[in-house]
Amino acid sequence: MSQNTLTITDNRTGKTYELPIKNGTIRAMDLRQIKVDAEDFGMMTYDPAFTNTASCISKITYIDGDRGILMYRGYPIEELAEKSSYLETSYLVLHGELPTRAQLDEWTWNITHHTFIHESIRKFLDGFHYDAHPMGILISTVAALSTFYKDAKNIFDPESRRKQTFRLIGKMPTLSAFAYRHSLGMPLAYPDNDLSYAGNFLNMLFRTTEAKYKPNPVLEHALDVLFILHADHEQNCSANAMRSVGSSHVDPYSAIAAATAALYGPLHGGANEEVLLMLREIGSVKNVPDYIKRVKAKEKLLMGFGHRVYKNYDPRAKIIKKIAYDVFEVMGKNPLIDIALECERIALSDDYFISHKLYPNVDFYSGLIYEAMGFPASMFTALFAIGRTSGWIAQWQELLLDPEQKIARPRQVYLGYDKRSYIPIDHR
Ligand code: ACO
């Protein structure tokens, strides 16, 4: 008997099956042969929320949740955060290798020259209420881009995918910044191609009367690092949405709209906004123990804590905590940091959090930096979406080029009624 197999005995029938093991997995379809009789559909696995199911083979991002390790294409996140730039990292995530100088220059030029959006998209903004959430605007406007770029439907044409990649990475900051300016009722600030990716984003957000906006280099660098930290995170909820929707072969703008919508939820990228609201609700360091008590009584979640994969400190949270102090030096300390530190201090020494392996995740400190930089809480998740766009596209492309992938279509365990007859309304 080969050692790379799993032997299963079905005690209902006494039959034994030998299933091959590859990469530490068995194929779910290999279970289908396990039947009690010829009429039986065959064995399936039941895995709500995919807690133990690999849906793809990927070469993009590696996470070791127990040891707190995150790598893009084999490069540790700590090294990329220290030495790379967001555009270089997005090239790496999408192409698999770091670019040469010439490749990086071309990549940067192409993204920088796809930052403008069609004026008709700009007009959509006028239809939104002044207090519309930027994520709602972002989801709608990125989906609307598909109506402007008909070539985006040619998803198996590498040249078309390349073009949509430039457009998506280039335009996500523009759409987000326009959503923000709309909420303030301020005239829109158009992209400035002389600035870096992060610098231009700050320009579109904060430029007022100056002829030429000069981003503060500390804030520009901090934002660029935050984009790097958010570039990809393997099969999370929004990447799964991107792959699942993309598997129907829809255009990438519609799939990115779905991924952005998935990110918006408070259990995923929306948590950074929720953390800020929570810290404000706690209000003062002296109220932290009482809040933690309510978390332990399951009345509340400690937002920004816990992760499906990390059962150790999220390496991104460590890097973000460090950058927070660089930003505070320029912008002044965010008073909520003391409440956050106290939450972390108590949580990391409390049995409930230790036994549940709950540590700060990426969202715990990112909101504090964003707030210190002058962003309102409603913009936090849009900032996440900008960084994650390159990862979503990489996941989508990997899916399209994988011959084993098909339209995503899970099975269900049906426990509803058997066949029954329609009852006329007067007899119910
Ligand atoms: N505060 C208090 N208790 C928590 C928290 C938390 N933040 N997170 C998990 N738990 C507890 C659960 O109540 C559960 O306890 P039990 O076993 O006693 O019933 C246990 O830990 C396991 O939690 P699950 O919800 O089953 O874990 P899951 O892997 O499904 O959820 C999630 C992960 C959604 C991130 C969860 O930890 C959470 O809701 N955190 C707060 C929201 C958040 O910060 N989300 C951002 C995640 S990072 C990202 O998406 C970018």
Side-chain angles (χ1 to χ4, degrees):
M1 193 184 295
S2 158
Q3 279 201 318
N4 280 328
T5 58
L6 178 73
T7 302
I8 297 178
T9 303
D10 184 348
N11 293 324
R12 299 170 303 175
T13 58
K15 278 197 197 154
T16 292
Y17 304 82
E18 200 183 330
L19 309 186
I21 298 175
K22 196 171 170 197
N23 302 318
T25 65
I26 56 159
R27 295 224 161 214
M29 276 306 284
D30 284 347
L31 298 173
R32 193 67 76 72
Q33 60 184 303
I34 304 177
K35 300 179 178 202
V36 278
D37 55 41
E39 295 292 294
D40 188 356
F41 179 77
M43 182 75 80
M44 293 192 296
T45 55
Y46 175 59
D47 188 10
F50 305 133
T51 52
N52 196 36
T53 295
S55 65
C56 62
I57 288 173
S58 184
K59 294 184 174 170
I60 304 170
T61 293
Y62 174 79
I63 302 175
D64 181 332
D66 291 326
R67 293 195 288 155
I69 292 173
L70 167 63
M71 298 190 290
Y72 301 153
R73 304 284 189 181
Y75 293 100
I77 192 67
E78 294 80 2
E79 266 191 69
L80 292 170
E82 190 191 329
K83 298 177 185 158
S84 186
S85 65
Y86 175 66
L87 286 188
E88 185 182 65
T89 297
S90 63
Y91 184 101
L92 168 72
V93 166
L94 275 146
H95 297 84
E97 295 297 338
L98 286 166
T100 60
R101 166 120 2 241
Q103 285 168 330
L104 180 60
D105 288 347
E106 191 194 348
W107 175 248
T108 304
W109 194 93
N110 277 321
I111 292 185
T112 308
H113 288 82
H114 284 89
T115 47
F116 276 74
I117 55 169
H118 197 288
E119 283 295 292
S120 298
I121 292 258
R122 199 181 59 77
K123 287 188 213 142
F124 291 172
L125 290 175
D126 295 335
F128 287 99
H129 254 292
Y130 72 94
D131 60 352
H133 197 287
M135 282 301 282
I137 300 181
L138 184 59
I139 293 163
S140 323
T141 48
V142 75
L145 288 182
S146 77
T147 65
F148 290 84
Y149 304 114
K150 306 266 167 54
D151 58 324
K153 286 198 186 331
N154 304 328
I155 56 169
F156 289 107
D157 171 6
E159 191 42 40
S160 167
R161 285 201 304 270
R162 215 169 81 90
K163 203 69 183 283
Q164 315 321 321
T165 301
F166 301 147
R167 288 177 174 146
L168 275 160
I169 298 178
K171 292 177 205 309
M172 284 292 271
T174 315
L175 295 173
S176 308
F178 282 12
Y180 171 65
R181 302 282 286 214
H182 175 76
S183 71
L184 297 180
M186 280 181 75
L188 305 181
Y190 279 71
D192 180 343
N193 290 355
D194 295 337
L195 298 175
S196 72
Y197 189 76
N200 172 50
F201 183 51
L202 291 169
N203 155 67
M204 291 189 289
L205 290 163
F206 298 129
R207 183 168 155 205
T208 51
T209 54
E210 56 274 57
K212 183 91 181 158
Y213 179 84
K214 280 208 190 85
N216 180 304
V218 175
L219 303 190
E220 186 181 3
H221 175 70
L223 194 56
D224 200 60
V225 174
L226 283 157
F227 286 152
I228 293 175
L229 300 183
H230 287 95
D232 192 53
H233 211 234
E234 54 118 306
Q235 305 312 313
N236 53 79
C237 177
S238 56
N240 185 55
M242 183 79 196
R243 280 181 174 260
S244 185
V245 172
S247 78
S248 75
H249 292 176
V250 73
D251 67 86
Y253 300 99
S254 304
I256 290 266
T260 310
L263 189 76
Y264 188 10
L267 296 187
H268 190 13
N272 53 16
E273 181 177 351
E274 296 293 326
V275 169
L276 237 274
L277 302 178
M278 175 188 81
L279 295 176
R280 285 203 196 117
E281 184 192 335
I282 296 173
S284 135
V285 169
K286 71 173 172 16
N287 298 335
V288 171
D290 187 52
Y291 195 87
I292 297 280
K293 232 186 247 165
R294 294 173 67 195
V295 170
K296 287 162 64 176
K298 306 257 187 222
E299 288 168 32
K300 296 266 182 192
L301 281 174
L302 187 60
M303 298 310 287
F305 263 70
H307 199 275
R308 172 63 58 78
V309 181
Y310 291 119
K311 300 301 167 200
N312 199 327
Y313 215 99
D314 179 337
R316 300 167 301 173
K318 261 189 209 157
I319 300 168
I320 289 184
K321 196 170 161 187
K322 209 162 135 254
I323 316 170
Y325 288 95
D326 299 342
V327 171
F328 295 162
E329 243 171 60
V330 177
M331 305 300 286
K333 192 171 135 189
N334 187 328
L336 297 178
I337 185 79
D338 291 332
I339 303 177
L341 288 171
E342 184 63 1
C343 286
E344 183 185 317
R345 191 189 66 77
I346 298 186
L348 294 185
S349 55
D350 186 288
D351 262 1
Y352 174 88
F353 293 88
I354 294 168
S355 62
H356 285 79
K357 298 192 174 167
L358 298 171
Y359 292 86
N361 60 49
V362 68
D363 291 322
F364 192 65
Y365 286 106
S366 62
L368 291 172
I369 303 184
Y370 294 146
E371 189 175 72
M373 282 173 143
F375 295 108
S378 61
M379 271 300 286
F380 296 174
T381 315
L383 290 156
F384 192 152
I386 294 170
R388 185 54 59 83
T389 299
S390 50
W392 287 331
I393 303 170
Q395 297 286 344
W396 169 72
Q397 188 146 267
E398 194 172 64
L399 163 103
L400 292 180
L401 301 181
D402 181 345
E404 282 201 317
Q405 288 290 346
K406 295 170 176 232
I407 186 163
R409 205 309 185 182
R411 292 277 173 179
Q412 65 168 6
V413 178
Y414 179 72
L415 294 179
Y417 286 109
D418 273 343
K419 186 179 169 194
R420 52 185 180 155
S421 287
Y422 178 81
I423 305 165
I425 195 159
D426 294 338
H427 292 86
R428 287 175 214 162

